[in-house]
Amino acid sequence: MYDIIIIGAGPAGLTAAIYARRASKSVLVLEALTYGGQIINTPSIANYPAAPDISGFEFATKVYEQAEALGAEFVYEKAADIQRSENGASFFVKTDENEYEGKAVIIAAGSVNRKLGLPNEEELVGRGVSYCATCDGAFYRGKRTAVAGGGNTALEDALYLADLAEKVYIVHRRDAFRGEETTVNALKQRPNVEFVLNSSVTKLCADKKLTGIEVTDKNTGETRELAVDGLFVAIGRVPSDIGFNVGTRDSGYIDAGEDCRTNVPGIFAAGDCREKEVRQLVTAAADGAVAATEAVRYIASLR
Amino acid sequence: MIKEVTTATFEEEVLSSDKPVLVDFNADWCGPCQMLKPTLDKLADELDNVKVVSVNIDREDDLAYKYSVSSIPCLVMFEGGNETRRSIGLKPRPELIKFING
């Protein structure tokens, strides 16, 4: 039996592993894909204290090596279920292949991009549909693109693409933007940026790869097709599909406060999967520290 | 060690290969590509029936364009000179093996 099982090896989970190991607890980290989480997609991190201009990959690798050197164990399996043991003193975490027992569990499963939910969306990923402008924008130099969304990510994606692409449409379902006004104003100055407001993407037109998108005006019901080579979907993120039986908010994020405690004593939530205001690298790491400390305290209370 | 191929060597190394070839389209700035690399390195050593090569899309943008690569990491399987399937994004090892075996 492990003292603490951590689900997810992103910045929150890895930081939790560091804190838990430094408190001399045995630690198992379960990860479905690879360590690092979504930060590995960021070419350059500019806002983490004392590490300006580090790449997401380098950051993730450093934190991973730190956790591993401290003695955290890593298993690459997808956690599917958490059950409390009959005597209540431990939990069983089931993966596709195995079952692991731990006194406390920290869920740090992160979040994923929200999809448009259109039928051929999945098959067009990498063939014109992307969820990351800074990752894939370079492929659309001199081409026609669209961004779906109205938050900061969508606006920043559009601004990034405006420097590369021939054309950038911003398709947003409202007539005002949630994102920062300075970015909106910067976009208005760009001759190659066109706002398509009160509209949503209702169809992806494709011939092996994306050729255009159909947008529908929600007020008039009118549809039109925009010929684009690339569509960048930036309509927010949703919590990873974890299906663990802990309380969540309507948003789907795990209902846990700044102390990272869920409604189940002994199960903690850290990082982007937790309901919170600010989802940043630094707040994910902070959650990891808090969740591990709370888990250590919880284990002490079992005696 | 995975061999890097260029526009000049693509025909010989990939299209004319007797064995199926897995081409890893990647870039230095792409984090998920760096994450994928150790797994591919290992698979390249383990698998006898498949050849694994890499294409740096910044240095070889003609190849990236020719094969419509618009998101990386992008793995393309070539058999008998033709593309037979592709996989986009970071995948865990078991899924990669499944993809390679078709």
Side-chain angles (χ1 to χ4, degrees):
Chain A
M1 176 155 49
Y2 293 92
D3 289 321
I4 302 175
I5 296 178
I6 299 169
I7 299 170
L14 291 173
T15 306
I18 291 169
Y19 272 75
R21 281 302 301 150
R22 287 181 50 80
S24 303
K25 299 298 168 199
S26 61
V27 172
L28 172 68
V29 183
L30 294 172
E31 166 60 48
L33 191 52
T34 67
Y35 67 81
Q38 57 160 312
I39 196 66
I40 63 165
N41 292 309
T42 304
S44 175
I45 298 165
N47 57 7
Y48 197 83
D53 214 24
I54 188 173
S55 78
F57 169 72
E58 204 183 336
F59 179 89
T61 304
K62 280 190 174 184
V63 188
Y64 166 75
E65 286 172 355
Q66 190 176 351
E68 203 195 24
L70 285 166
E73 279 179 48
F74 288 81
V75 167
Y76 293 94
E77 291 171 15
K78 187 173 165 52
D81 192 30
I82 308 172
Q83 294 295 337
R84 192 186 276 278
S85 68
E86 269 177 32
N87 67 6
S90 68
F91 296 93
F92 292 102
V93 180
K94 282 197 183 106
T95 69
D96 303 342
E97 295 153 61
N98 290 299
E99 189 175 76
Y100 303 93
E101 188 178 7
K103 291 176 189 162
V105 177
I106 297 172
I107 304 172
S111 63
V112 294
N113 292 309
R114 187 193 296 276
K115 308 269 194 301
L116 289 166
L118 296 172
N120 52 349
E121 184 174 357
E122 191 112 336
E123 66 195 62
L124 289 171
V125 173
R127 291 179 171 84
V129 174
S130 172
Y131 302 88
C132 178
T134 51
C135 312
D136 298 334
F139 295 107
Y140 297 90
R141 199 174 291 276
K143 297 197 174 169
R144 298 171 67 83
T145 61
V147 174
N152 269 327
T153 306
L155 297 174
E156 279 158 22
D157 281 359
L159 204 54
Y160 177 80
L161 289 167
D163 284 334
L164 298 164
E166 181 197 302
K167 178 83 185 180
V168 184
Y169 295 101
I170 304 175
V171 184
H172 181 39
R173 60 189 165 141
R174 300 187 211 284
D175 59 359
F177 289 97
R178 276 172 290 124
E180 278 174 28
E181 207 178 314
T182 50
T183 320
V184 177
N185 290 335
L187 285 165
K188 284 180 178 161
Q189 305 298 315
R190 300 300 185 97
N192 62 339
V193 172
E194 187 179 327
F195 293 87
V196 183
L197 302 179
N198 294 311
S199 299
S200 28
V201 180
T202 41
K203 204 168 138 190
L204 303 174
C205 312
D207 175 19
K208 284 178 191 155
K209 55 184 182 177
L210 189 76
T211 55
I213 55 173
E214 181 195 83
V215 294
T216 304
D217 187 305
K218 70 165 185 190
N219 295 331
T220 64
E222 236 171 81
T223 65
R224 62 173 170 140
E225 192 183 322
L226 308 173
V228 295
D229 307 290
L231 170 66
F232 291 85
V233 181
I235 52 172
R237 297 182 66 84
V238 289
S240 297
D241 180 18
I242 41 177
F244 305 137
N245 41 359
V246 294
T248 56
R249 297 275 183 93
D250 292 343
S251 58
Y253 288 102
I254 297 173
D255 193 4
E258 290 300 317
D259 58 8
C260 296
R261 294 186 199 176
T262 69
N263 64 329
V264 182
I267 301 183
F268 303 85
D272 283 5
C273 66
R274 181 172 78 81
E275 178 64 44
K276 54 155 101 183
E277 289 296 319
V278 181
R279 291 195 173 84
Q280 287 286 306
L281 185 54
V282 70
T283 62
D287 271 14
V290 173
T293 306
E294 289 289 334
V296 169
R297 199 173 287 167
Y298 166 81
I299 291 167
S301 77
L302 291 173
R303 295 208 189 102
Chain B
M1 189 58 196
I2 293 175
K3 193 171 188 178
E4 188 171 336
V5 298
T6 64
T7 309
T9 59
F10 198 80
E11 168 78 41
E12 185 195 336
E13 295 283 351
V14 179
L15 301 179
S16 310
S17 166
D18 300 335
K19 281 192 215 176
V21 187
L22 181 71
V23 184
D24 166 33
F25 288 90
N26 64 76
D28 297 338
W29 47 263
C30 163
C33 302
Q34 317 302 322
M35 282 284 173
L36 189 61
K37 202 175 168 298
T39 315
L40 283 179
D41 278 334
K42 256 199 198 147
L43 284 174
D45 285 342
E46 290 167 17
L47 301 171
D48 291 333
N49 53 340
V50 176
K51 177 171 164 182
V52 185
V53 300
S54 79
V55 171
N56 182 298
I57 57 111
D58 288 326
R59 287 194 283 274
E60 306 299 330
D61 51 348
D62 287 349
L63 282 175
Y65 182 75
K66 187 172 176 194
Y67 291 100
S68 304
V69 174
S70 61
S71 184
I72 49 172
C74 175
L75 299 175
V76 183
M77 187 66 111
F78 285 88
E79 288 167 274
N82 296 312
E83 171 178 344
T84 49
R85 54 192 175 276
R86 68 170 64 191
S87 156
I88 286 142
L90 188 56
K91 304 261 166 80
R93 185 186 149 94
E95 272 185 50
L96 285 179
I97 294 172
K98 233 186 266 175
F99 169 74
I100 291 169
N101 293 332

